[in-house]
């Protein structure tokens, strides 16, 4: 009985992971400018990867496979913020202005 | 079930490619290639489970490493327009 329970749990994790990957990528497609797209991209890196790795680790059981999966997830967890920060810094120095703000005066778009 | 997740990842990769082609600024392209790389890591892991090949996870880990280094290198190039000057060129500004 426990194997079917574990399978159901891992399928749930995998489905949530797949759904969040698609949601994150949909955010990349639809959001107005680079900075908001970076925000959407991080959903796939953290939640999507986390859920898929958790689902696979449950399938893999308590073994070397799950250890490798955990290492992959820890590495993704550490490096995706670094790369997003580097991307934001590069975009800012290159003068990409966030949508809705007036770069010259630096004011945000005041609420009407 | 792994097939469903692999299909979801492939759809997400297609969308990332669309953003890469459409992206107005170069940073959109770098961002979409970066997420494409992350999805490739997940796809390799899922296919490794699909084919009962546990050694695919090592490939996925190495791919994640390479994807990260590539993103940082490309960003450094686009920010400073060079990847670093050989030692001894005094006039190069410090990074």
């Amino acid at each position: 009985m426990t194997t079917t329970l574990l399978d159901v749990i891992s399928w749930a994790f995998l489905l949530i992971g797949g759904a969040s990957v698609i949601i994150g990528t949909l955010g990349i497609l639809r959001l107005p400018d680079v900075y908001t797209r970076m925000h959407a991209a991080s959903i796939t890196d953290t939640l999507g990867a986390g859920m898929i790795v958790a689902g696979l680790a449950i399938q893999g059981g308590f073994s070397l496979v799950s250890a490798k999966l955990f290492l992959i997830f820890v590495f993704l967890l550490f490096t995706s913020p670094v790369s997003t920060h580097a991307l934001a810094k590069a975009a800012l120095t290159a003068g990409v202005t966030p949508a809705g703000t007036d770069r010259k005066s630096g004011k945000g778009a005041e609420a009407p | 079930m792994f097939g469903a997740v692999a299909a979801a990842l492939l759809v997400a990769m297609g969308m990332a490619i669309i953003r890469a082609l459409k992206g107005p600024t170069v940073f959109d392209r770098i961002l979409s290639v970066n997420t494409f790389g992350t999805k490739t890591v997940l796809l390799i892991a899922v296919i490794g489970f699909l084919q009962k090949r546990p050694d695919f996870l090592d490939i996925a880990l190495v791919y994640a490493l390479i994807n990260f280094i590539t993103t940082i290198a490309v960003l450094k190039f686009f920010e400073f327009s060079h990847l670093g000057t050989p030692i001894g060129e005094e006039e190069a500004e410090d990074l």
Side-chain angles (χ1 to χ4, degrees):
Chain A
M1 211 288 288
T2 58
T3 55
T4 53
L5 183 64
L6 280 181
D7 280 350
V8 167
I9 292 174
S10 75
W11 287 348
F13 270 122
L14 284 171
L15 281 184
I16 296 173
S20 59
V21 161
I22 287 189
I23 289 170
T25 314
L26 204 60
I28 292 179
L29 267 179
R30 285 181 54 85
L31 288 172
D33 73 334
V34 184
Y35 302 104
T36 44
R37 285 181 199 133
M38 264 182 254
H39 177 69
S42 65
I43 296 178
T44 58
D45 280 352
T46 51
L47 188 62
M51 289 294 167
I52 289 179
V53 161
L56 294 178
I58 292 176
Q59 291 284 347
F62 199 68
S63 68
L64 182 61
V65 167
S66 303
K68 284 181 189 170
L69 273 170
F70 179 68
L71 283 178
I72 289 178
F73 178 59
V74 163
F75 179 77
L76 278 179
L77 215 55
F78 283 159
T79 53
S80 71
V82 171
S83 63
T84 308
H85 169 75
L87 185 69
K89 193 166 91 70
L92 207 56
T93 50
V96 178
T97 59
T101 61
D102 180 358
R103 173 85 184 187
K104 308 309 173 292
S105 64
K107 294 191 307 304
E110 280 75 16
Chain B
M1 187 45 64
F2 295 131
V5 178
L9 282 169
L10 286 174
V11 166
M13 286 162 137
M15 288 201 272
I17 290 179
I18 291 173
R19 170 49 59 194
L21 294 176
K22 217 169 64 165
T25 65
V26 71
F27 300 105
D28 296 310
R29 293 189 170 90
I30 297 174
L31 175 69
S32 57
V33 166
N34 184 16
T35 57
F36 188 89
T38 314
K39 291 179 186 62
T40 313
V41 168
L42 296 175
L43 191 67
I44 295 171
V46 167
I47 290 178
F49 266 79
L50 209 60
Q51 316 265 339
K52 301 287 185 291
R53 293 277 301 272
D55 46 359
F56 272 22
L57 292 178
D58 307 332
I59 301 173
L61 186 63
V62 168
Y63 197 93
L65 295 166
I66 295 176
N67 181 35
F68 173 61
I69 302 295
T70 307
T71 305
I72 297 297
V74 168
L75 281 174
K76 181 175 179 184
F77 181 74
F78 275 112
E79 190 169 359
F80 301 114
S81 73
H82 61 73
L83 276 177
T85 56
I87 296 173
E89 287 203 14
E90 282 70 19
E91 73 281 357
E93 78 280 5
D94 54 357
L95 292 180

